[in-house]
Amino acid sequence: MDEKLSLRSCMEDAGCAEASIRRAEALLDIGARDELICCLRLCRAEQLDTLHDMLRRLDRLDLLIRQTQQG
């Protein structure tokens, strides 16, 4: 599998937006490794924000469960 296809596949698996994937591919094409790393880190930060949002939702559900159990 070539490097560009591998990059796309991994980014899709990670849930990155299509625009981010295309940007990363373009950066790879021109050999802009430092910028590519920044792009990947931005995608990671976006995924981490999504994870934190989901954890907050789970925390709220856990609180509701505890409150319901206590009557």
Side-chain angles (χ1 to χ4, degrees):
M1 183 181 303
D2 76 339
E3 194 173 18
K4 191 172 181 179
L5 185 57
S6 177
L7 175 71
R8 172 169 281 280
S9 178
C10 286
M11 290 183 76
E12 285 175 345
D13 288 348
C16 297
E18 180 62 27
S20 297
I21 295 171
R22 286 193 307 269
R23 175 164 168 67
E25 289 174 329
L27 292 169
L28 181 63
D29 285 344
I30 63 172
R33 297 283 175 174
D34 289 340
E35 290 88 350
L36 175 56
I37 290 168
C38 287
C39 178
L40 294 171
R41 286 184 175 155
L42 180 59
C43 291
R44 184 186 188 281
E46 290 168 355
Q47 293 298 336
L48 191 56
D49 286 343
T50 300
L51 175 63
H52 288 156
D53 288 342
M54 186 58 69
L55 288 172
R56 276 190 288 277
R57 291 176 187 178
L58 289 171
D59 286 343
R60 288 182 185 134
L61 283 172
D62 288 343
L63 177 62
L64 183 58
I65 290 167
R66 283 192 303 275
Q67 289 173 341
T68 303
Q69 285 174 332
Q70 293 173 356

